[in-house]
Amino acid sequence: MADVVWAEEALSDLEAIGDYFERTSPQYASTIVDRLYSCVEPLAEHPKMGRRVPEVDHMSLRERIVEGYRVLYQLREGRIEIIAVVHSRQNLPKKFRQRES
């Protein structure tokens, strides 16, 4: 069983998603954040259950998709690191370039 760890950036993504929906539907904001957060729980026992990220040719980068959001994670030795939560319409390479700068 692997540990599932959230990177600060991924937690910030969740917070931003919650803040966005909070303005129009506080109930949905809570629901979507809960769904996104809990979708990674099974990864502790089944780390490869998510699909490989198509834009990136790297075996250790995988994702779970929940209601149009991509929860990206990386398989690391002994743990699973949740690295980002992005909307499926977002340009993933651009998002990562912005984070690096």
Side-chain angles (χ1 to χ4, degrees):
M1 182 181 260
D3 290 330
V4 177
V5 179
W6 284 78
E8 287 296 321
E9 293 89 353
L11 290 172
S12 293
D13 292 341
L14 273 184
E15 185 177 350
I17 292 164
D19 289 347
Y20 175 80
F21 286 109
E22 183 74 28
R23 290 179 269 159
T24 56
S25 177
Q27 183 176 356
Y28 182 70
S30 176
T31 299
I32 189 64
V33 169
D34 287 346
R35 286 182 184 162
L36 291 166
Y37 190 82
S38 65
C39 83
V40 301
E41 291 173 2
L43 296 176
E45 292 187 31
H46 307 284
K48 292 185 178 179
M49 75 183 299
R51 73 176 190 166
R52 287 179 50 200
V53 177
E55 300 93 327
V56 181
D57 187 26
H58 202 285
M59 292 291 290
S60 69
L61 188 59
R62 304 183 82 83
E63 68 184 349
R64 304 270 339 253
I65 299 175
V66 177
E67 293 191 36
Y69 286 92
R70 302 168 73 180
V71 180
L72 291 106
Y73 66 96
Q74 190 160 20
L75 302 173
R76 304 215 186 249
E77 199 149 325
R79 69 185 166 105
I80 296 152
E81 185 175 359
I82 312 304
I83 59 172
V85 182
V86 298
H87 194 275
S88 59
R89 291 186 178 178
Q90 284 183 287
N91 181 317
L92 192 58
K94 181 179 177 182
K95 172 95 171 167
F96 282 123
R97 280 194 303 275
Q98 289 173 340
R99 286 194 172 173
E100 290 173 356
S101 54

